[in-house]
Amino acid sequence: MLLTSNKMITTELSLPIIAREYLKETPYGQMEFGDRDIIVLPTVFPPDINTLELAKVTSRLVRKFLETNHQCRVFEMGVGSGGAILSVAQIPGIIASGSDISPMAVLNAQVNALWWGAKCDIYHSNLFDNVPKNEFDIIFWNIPWLCENPGEIEDIRFKAGFDPGYQDLQTFLSDVNQWLAPGGSILLAIEENFCNLDAIDKLIDQANFQLEIFDTTQVVWQGMDLQLIFIQLVPRAI
């Protein structure tokens, strides 16, 4: 069992062992996602923690943008099964796209796009490596929460939860302005206890972004109360 504080604490088992045990039980197949169903393929992380909340919060941010703009170009980093970006893609005026490091996740999101009738370009990419240059009005990412190193674990699903030293987040923050439209913003989904908030805040400051808490909410997952925080970033004026 995981004990949550601002720094992850375990008693008898290490985080990688606990995570490996969870992945053994990871469900796949057809499952509920809000008021509709979604397909989750084997080896793809299921949208059972905060994906639905991410979809709702991003949709609100998008609708706010559309109050003063006729269209909104939205990109999701790490689409997984596609639940969040495909929900957003069905809002009128949206041009949607996203990427994932997992080939199976890319296929999974494409399958769900066809099933839902949503238009969305999905790229196989590690961060922005294979994403065509574009200008997105909103870029959002449910970042890996844990900055610990899970050790020698090959399962690609661990990339959804572990970012040792937040190296991927640092690279993302360093590169993202090349894909962000003027006046655009970034939405990051984090969790109060699983994430190292001090480290995240420091990386955001070093990358010269202004941070604002856009929304917070609480969900229960695996018997744990999760405190979800959605932070909006905009580049600081030079």
Side-chain angles (χ1 to χ4, degrees):
M1 178 178 180
L2 291 173
L3 302 175
T4 58
S5 66
N6 201 19
K7 186 175 182 180
M8 293 303 301
I9 300 173
T10 60
T11 54
E12 298 179 357
L13 297 176
S14 67
L15 271 173
I17 292 174
I18 294 171
R20 186 184 289 110
E21 290 302 311
Y22 168 71
L23 288 177
K24 286 181 181 178
E25 305 299 326
T26 297
Y28 60 90
Q30 185 172 331
M31 59 185 64
E32 291 185 1
F33 184 77
D35 59 357
R36 65 193 314 165
D37 285 353
I38 193 168
I39 295 170
V40 179
L41 298 180
T43 76
V44 177
F45 207 83
D48 64 346
I49 304 178
N50 69 333
T51 306
L52 183 59
E53 295 302 323
L54 177 62
K56 293 176 181 178
V57 172
T58 305
S59 294
R60 284 213 315 277
L61 181 60
V62 164
R63 293 183 190 280
K64 182 179 179 181
F65 183 88
L66 288 171
E67 290 176 0
T68 53
N69 298 272
H70 71 280
Q71 71 175 22
C72 183
R73 297 159 295 182
V74 185
F75 179 88
E76 181 181 14
M77 182 69 67
V79 297
S81 58
I85 188 61
L86 298 180
S87 297
V88 173
Q90 295 184 312
I91 300 173
I94 296 301
I95 300 174
S97 57
S99 70
D100 204 287
I101 192 173
S102 164
M104 186 67 82
V106 172
L107 175 62
N108 200 159
Q110 291 170 338
V111 167
N112 282 316
L114 288 172
W115 191 25
W116 287 13
K119 186 176 180 181
C120 184
D121 294 322
I122 309 292
Y123 304 101
H124 177 218
S125 179
N126 180 20
L127 299 176
F128 289 107
D129 286 353
N130 296 324
V131 178
K133 280 293 175 67
N134 204 332
E135 290 190 337
F136 300 108
D137 301 300
I138 294 174
I139 297 174
F140 69 100
W141 187 19
N142 180 24
I143 74 166
W145 292 347
L146 299 166
C147 61
E148 289 81 3
N149 191 333
E152 297 298 324
I153 299 175
E154 297 181 358
D155 196 316
I156 199 167
R157 284 173 293 183
F158 276 74
K159 294 287 287 184
F162 288 90
D163 179 10
Y166 287 135
Q167 294 178 5
D168 283 345
L169 176 60
Q170 184 175 12
T171 301
F172 170 87
L173 292 171
S174 175
D175 295 344
V176 66
N177 278 333
Q178 300 176 53
W179 280 264
L180 194 64
S185 67
I186 302 154
L187 185 71
L188 299 182
I190 62 177
E191 200 280 330
E192 182 177 1
N193 296 304
F194 279 80
C195 292
N196 185 326
L197 301 184
D198 290 338
I200 292 172
D201 185 70
K202 183 178 180 180
L203 289 175
I204 291 171
D205 183 63
Q206 290 175 343
N208 206 29
F209 285 98
Q210 179 178 326
L211 182 157
E212 178 180 338
I213 296 178
F214 184 75
D215 199 2
T216 61
T217 189
Q218 179 176 312
V219 298
V220 177
W221 176 76
Q222 299 285 307
M224 295 180 287
D225 292 328
L226 302 182
Q227 310 295 328
L228 306 181
I229 306 172
F230 299 91
I231 54 177
Q232 185 178 9
L233 311 181
V234 295
R236 289 199 188 105
I238 300 176

